[in-house]
Structure formats: C-alpha cells, structure tokens
Amino acid sequence: MTGPLLQVTGLSKSYTSGGGLLRPGRRATVVDDVSFVIERGEAFGLVGESGSGKSTIGRLVLRLVEADAGSIVFDGIDVRATRSADLRRLRRRMQIVFQDPFSSLDPRVRIGESIAAPIRLHRLRSRDAVAGRVAELLALVGLSSEQASRYPHEFSGGQRQRIAIARALAVEPDLIVCDEPVSALDLSIQAQVVNLLADLRARLGVSYLFISHDMAVVRHLATRVGVLYAGRLVEVGPARRVFEDPRHPYTRMLLAASPVPVPHPGAARRIVLGEPPSPYEASQGCRFASRCPHAVPACLAAQPPLDAYGDEGRQAACIRAAELPTSEGARDDEALMSEAYRRRMTLLRDARGTRPA
Ligand SMILES: Nc1ncnc2c1ncn2[C@@H]1O[C@H](COP(=O)(O)OP(=O)(O)OP(=O)(O)O)[C@@H](O)[C@H]1O
Ligand SMILES: [Mg+2]
C-alpha cells in the first residue's frame, strides 16, 4: 500500500451541554476542521494546552468517539465507514497507550497474561508460541520474562507503562496513539520511556500519534508536530523547524512557557497560560488574537486558514507568519525557550541509549 498511513481531513467534533426540555444546550466545538497526515514510520506530535482537543483527536481517530464531520483514512481504509468485523481488524492495527497504565492493566491479571490475551484473541501465534512471544515483548521494552508472573501492583509506574507498551505492541500495530504516556512519571523515568518509544519506532517501524503538552518531550520524539489551539491546528511542520523557528505566536508562547520540571507523580503537569477562549463562544477572527502580542485589527476580521509557509512542508494559521522575527542566525529561539525547557531537553538527550534499571 502506498500513500500515508493516516490521513485526517476536516475533522470536527462538538458537544452540547446544559440543555433542557425546552431550552437548547450550548454547543462547544472542541475539534474544529483539523487536517493532518502521518506517514509510515513517522512520529507525529500533537501539542497544545489543556482542553485544546488533543485527546479528543486521538479518540476520534480510533473511533472511540464518533466524529461529526471529516474523514479519517488509515492505510487506504475509510475508518468512519468501517463496521463490525472490519472495525475490529482495523482496531488491532491502531493501539492506544494512556497516561495512566493502571487504568489499562487489570490488577487481578498477571502481566504475562495481559500481554498474551490479545495475541490469542487475534490468533497471532500458535498456542505453543505465545509464551515465547510474551518473553520477546517483555525484552523489547526492557523487562525480563521472569516478571511475566507478577501482578501490576508489583511494578513501578515506569515499568507499568513499559508493560502497557508491550501489550500495545503484542498485536503488531502500525499506529500507536500515545496520549500523554509519560506525563504521570518521574522525570528520570520519563526520559527512559520516551527513549524506549523512540527506539521501538526505529526498530519496528511503528508510527505514533504522540499527544503531549510537554514541548521538550515532543521535540525529542516527534518527526513532525502539530500545534493545537482551541480545537484548531495553528501550526504544522517538521518538529525541528517548528521548535527552532516557530511561525505562530501561540507556538512561541508554548515554548516560552514550558512548565518547570517539578516531579509530580500521579498527575500530569498541565500548561495553562492565561485564559484560553471558551469553546462555547464563536469568534469571527483568529481565536488567539485576544492573547496575541502581535495582533493587528485585521486578525479580528476573519479566521486565518492553515496556509503553507516556506518550502519545508510547514503550515501556519497566522496572517503575520512571515513577518514574525526569525530566529535564524541570532538564535533568539533559545531566548524564547524557558530555562526549564532547556534543562528538560538536556535530560532527555543524556538519557538516550541508557537501559532501564
Ligand atoms: N464527552 C465530552 N462531553 C463534553 N465535553 C467534552 C467531552 N470530551 C471532551 N470534552 C471537552 O472537549 C475539550 C477538549 O478536551 P480534550 O480532552 O480533548 O483536551 P486535551 O487537549 O486532551 O486536554 P488535556 O491536556 O487536559 O488532556 C474540553 O473542553 C473538554 O471539556
Ligand atoms: Mg488529554
């Protein structure tokens, strides 16, 4: 099959809440006309503040939530039109890893069995070969086969996330949606798991839709990145270029505000920068204009489309994208980044290639 692995076009989702018998509810558009492509073997990062619609996009792609509009084409298959047995087959090829591995691992089931179950379900190995495959998967994520007989509570958070990854890999997926997979882990453990994911992509050719609010983690792992603001993509491009020379003022703001790395087990750190717009309020112009240091009256006239910028496959939804001061030469992108962000990048780089304890 040629063509991209995943092609999402014009994806939209809104929710209505607070309605009554005679009173219409208020409608919130949480994903608004989103289009992006994930090539085979690529790690596409999706960044944005809390509530920007990242998880909703992941769920829409996997059909855990139904879209209102738009198309999702996975390896040439129209995901939204797929039914029953075909949908089950499709789901094997698209897996998800959540922030909290506890929610996806049954506490009463030995982890070897958790990993073996989907292999049996999809008849991916003969009965005799299942145990060997489980051992292989455990080794792949840096665990030993002796650990197969243990229960989830006997592992650390980082180890549990490795188990969740092994289980996702058990069905040999083409795409893994990683929804904040390291946000709940200690910093040093985060770096190990991020590097494990990078390593697995290189070895197995698996693709990721990597959702995170952590710019440092995304810069480290993603080949391309999409920046989401209030349900809309405002910037897309090769991760290295977008982070070096962001073309949307919101991307700059996210980079400058990368959170301080305080280890905070059990809860994701969230970026909240001022007030994001309410999804209930329609606005005519750019939704970021009210917070944008570069806004001019024209920004309020119409919603800026996600236009091509330059010749590196970049896109930006800002009428002033080309005017923003460039970071080239002056390296003022470094100045844009918070100290915390730079420290995180160094930590991730240093942890590369180290094996887990
Ligand atoms: N089932 C639902 N019903 C109503 N509103 C919803 C529902 N699911 C999500 N939303 C709303 O959609 C918006 C986007 O939510 P989403 O979980 O996709 O954000 P996110 O970018 O993943 O945020 P976070 O970084 O906090 O995980 C939020 O305003 C949320 O309240
Ligand atoms: Mg989320």
Side-chain angles (χ1 to χ4, degrees), residues 115-327:
I115 299 170
I119 302 175
R120 289 204 202 95
L121 182 72
H122 293 280
R123 301 176 203 278
L124 295 170
R125 290 290 187 283
S126 68
R127 210 200 290 211
D128 306 344
V130 171
R133 177 61 177 156
V134 169
E136 201 176 280
L137 287 160
L138 286 171
L140 204 55
V141 299
L143 295 170
S144 74
S145 53
E146 293 90 74
Q147 291 169 304
S149 58
R150 299 207 198 145
Y151 291 93
H153 74 266
E154 299 178 61
F155 294 90
S156 70
Q159 286 175 323
R160 276 200 292 272
Q161 200 54 295
R162 289 169 187 280
I163 296 161
I165 294 166
R167 203 175 54 157
L169 290 171
V171 295
E172 295 158 37
D174 301 295
L175 179 73
I176 304 181
V177 174
C178 303
D179 192 350
E180 308 267 9
V182 300
S183 308
L185 305 175
D186 283 354
L187 277 183
S188 58
I189 308 297
Q190 279 192 14
Q192 288 178 0
V193 173
V194 167
N195 283 303
L196 169 68
L197 288 168
D199 186 42
L200 291 171
R201 186 171 74 84
R203 286 164 71 178
L204 307 175
V206 62
S207 304
Y208 300 129
L209 172 56
F210 189 88
I211 295 168
S212 178
H213 63 272
D214 188 326
M215 303 293 270
V217 164
V218 171
R219 182 171 181 163
H220 189 73
L221 191 77
T223 45
R224 282 191 317 122
V225 64
V227 181
L228 204 59
Y229 183 73
R232 292 182 73 90
L233 278 175
V234 295
E235 180 154 11
V236 178
R240 187 182 52 80
R241 293 294 296 135
V242 170
F243 287 100
E244 262 170 21
D245 182 28
R247 283 293 107 196
H248 196 286
Y250 178 61
T251 313
R252 295 175 173 230
M253 186 164 147
L254 273 185
L255 276 169
S258 268
V260 178
V262 182
H264 186 209
R269 284 167 295 279
R270 292 282 148 99
I271 311 175
V272 180
L273 311 160
E275 274 299 296
S278 161
Y280 294 100
E281 278 157 28
S283 70
Q284 199 184 5
C286 172
R287 302 212 73 191
F288 186 61
S290 60
R291 299 163 79 189
C292 182
H294 303 279
V296 292
C299 298
L300 299 172
Q303 183 115 254
L306 187 62
D307 280 335
Y309 172 82
D311 54 6
E312 296 170 291
R314 300 189 62 176
Q315 293 169 291
C318 175
I319 57 170
R320 306 196 63 195
E323 290 172 55
L324 296 180
T326 175
S327 55

Side-chain angles (χ1 to χ4, degrees), residues 54-86:
K54 305 181 295 295
S55 296
T56 305
I57 291 177
R59 286 161 186 276
L60 289 169
V61 166
L62 297 171
R63 286 272 304 273
L64 299 173
V65 166
E66 295 292 339
D68 297 335
S71 84
I72 304 165
V73 177
F74 177 80
D75 198 18
I77 302 162
D78 181 348
V79 174
R80 291 191 63 202
T82 303
R83 298 280 172 269
S84 55
D86 288 338

